Amino acid sequence: MAITDDVLVIGGGIAACTAALSAAETGARVRLLAHKKSTLRQASGLVDVLGYAGGDGPLSDPYAGLDALPEGHPYHVVGEDGVRAGLRIFDEAVGDAYRGGHTDSNALVMTHGGAVKPTARYPASVAPGLASSSGDTLLVGFAGLTDFDAPVAADHLAAAGVPFSARGVTVEFPKRFRADAKVTRFAKALDRDEDVDGGTVRSVLADTVAEELDGESRVGFPAMLGDDHDEDVRAELSDRLGVPVFEVPTGPPSLLGLKLEDILFDALDEAGVRISAGNPAVDFEADTGRVETVVVDQKSRPTPYSADQVVLATGGLVGKGLDSDRESVTEPVFGCHVPHPEDRYDWSDPEAFGDHAFARFGVVPDDELRPTDEDGEPHFENLRAAGGVVGGADVAREKSASGVSLATGAVAGRLAGEEATR
Ligand SMILES: Cc1cc2nc3c(=O)[nH]c(=O)nc-3n(C[C@H](O)[C@H](O)[C@H](O)COP(=O)(O)OP(=O)(O)OC[C@H]3O[C@@H](n4cnc5c(N)ncnc54)[C@H](O)[C@@H]3O)c2cc1C
């Protein structure tokens, strides 16, 4: 017999979590069906809503850019209210762990390469390092952690015209690890404040950095300042250095992304969402235009899940919500229509930072976020889509990835929940 719920959300990323939380708010019985971990562990942990639109940017007000987005953009489907609904669900889920909810304006955040990026929400540990605040800055990198080259990042910041001086130094981490040690190993050593020659990891690190300080009023480290005890680590380093300490978001594996994933899954637990993780949805059964059952491959055993409403939030090409070979782009679970130029050479622009068609690949939603077929009709009455699987946005160029996931997740989840509990 199939496992039955009101709303089944397929996916495990920020879009799926938001859709599940939104559906749960309607009183629906919700299940999240996730195959693997999401792309959050590769992402920066920042929540970009809209940084660039219609040739303008960086935008200080993301809402002011919505009208300039091209036709077919998912923000036109959900509207400003949808964007705000996604951010509200996010803010309630993350609480004090994130900043930015006090304003409609974007913040300018330093990236690990020394660029400055407009973003709507950022981890609390990033806040003291905003690029819009004037505070001369010392960036500290670690020998062996090649992902963050502090002197190069500082030079790039200066070239970007930030309103403060930035200087970068590379120091030895107080404890030696294998050359391929992950950032989590550094974070754990700081969490546990492990003993090292001359003291403990935190005290020796603070002493090392204090020798480098030359009047700067804040110090930035790559985002690895603790995992379970990150607030204590940052507070102690700030205390010992006498200036605020902040984290600079880093690339994969991203501790800030991993922490966001944990926070979102805790919020799902709290909202009573049932979670089935570890196996992919591979097939479905439909009747009279409705998805009746989603089939999950449970270690080669097909297991049916049925629900009144289904939300597809399986991500884009990176998350495997879309598949592509040399000929075509497909949506592998329901076979939804994914428009794309026939000629493979038209998928990308010759310029590396050009207008790539592939960036906007995805299912085409109707005004209720239901994926449509070649004739513009919904494939199924009770199937909605959210996040990277939805086409129409060039999230990398617009700086809108998580915002699109939040907004479409919030609206798809609410509509699914309302239908199921009607
Ligand atoms: C390297 C990188 C950096 C990024 N940086 C930023 C940033 O700075 N700011 C920002 O706002 N956003 C950023 N993002 C984007 C953001 O993290 C999300 O990728 C994006 O919002 C899409 O989220 P999603 O939930 O739709 O998909 P994903 O995060 O891709 O999640 C898809 C989920 O669906 C699951 N899934 C797929 N197929 C199936 C199936 N058949 N059955 C069950 N489950 C399935 C996957 O296992 C995964 O859990 C970044 C992404 C990457 C990859």
Side-chain angles (χ1 to χ4, degrees), residues 112 125 139-142 145 147-150 169 173 183 186-187 190 219-226 245-251 255-256:
H112 67 287
S125 63
L139 294 180
V140 179
F142 296 110
L145 254 192
D147 274 357
F148 182 62
D149 187 326
V169 294
F173 193 75
V183 284
F186 292 76
L190 284 160
V219 176
F221 291 89
M224 41 153 283
L225 297 182
V245 160
F246 64 93
E247 290 188 305
V248 180
T250 49
L255 260 186
L256 295 178

Side-chain angles (χ1 to χ4, degrees), residues 1-5 31 285 292-294 303-307:
M1 240 196 37
I3 297 157
T4 302
D5 293 281
R31 180 178 300 275
E285 286 162 14
E292 295 289 328
T293 307
V294 172
T303 307
Y305 285 76
S306 80

Side-chain angles (χ1 to χ4, degrees), residues 259-311:
K259 286 178 194 171
L260 177 55
E261 189 169 69
D262 287 347
I263 293 172
L264 292 174
F265 272 77
D266 285 349
L268 293 174
D269 274 342
E270 210 163 295
V273 173
R274 293 155 184 79
I275 299 172
S276 303
N279 300 296
V282 290
D283 206 353
F284 69 100
E285 286 162 14
D287 192 17
T288 56
R290 291 177 63 83
V291 175
E292 295 289 328
T293 307
V294 172
V295 181
V296 171
D297 178 0
Q298 219 134 6
K299 300 189 176 57
S300 300
R301 194 164 44 89
T303 307
Y305 285 76
S306 80
D308 188 70
Q309 303 289 319
V310 180
V311 179

Side-chain angles (χ1 to χ4, degrees), residues 10-16 33-40 42-44 46-48 117 279-281 313-315 318-321 333 386-388 401-402 405:
I10 310 174
I14 191 166
L33 196 66
H35 180 200
K36 294 191 178 147
K37 296 290 186 179
S38 74
T39 58
L40 280 171
Q42 295 151 39
S44 59
L46 301 175
V47 172
D48 304 343
K117 185 164 100 125
N279 300 296
T314 44
V318 182
K320 300 285 179 225
V333 183
S402 295
S405 291

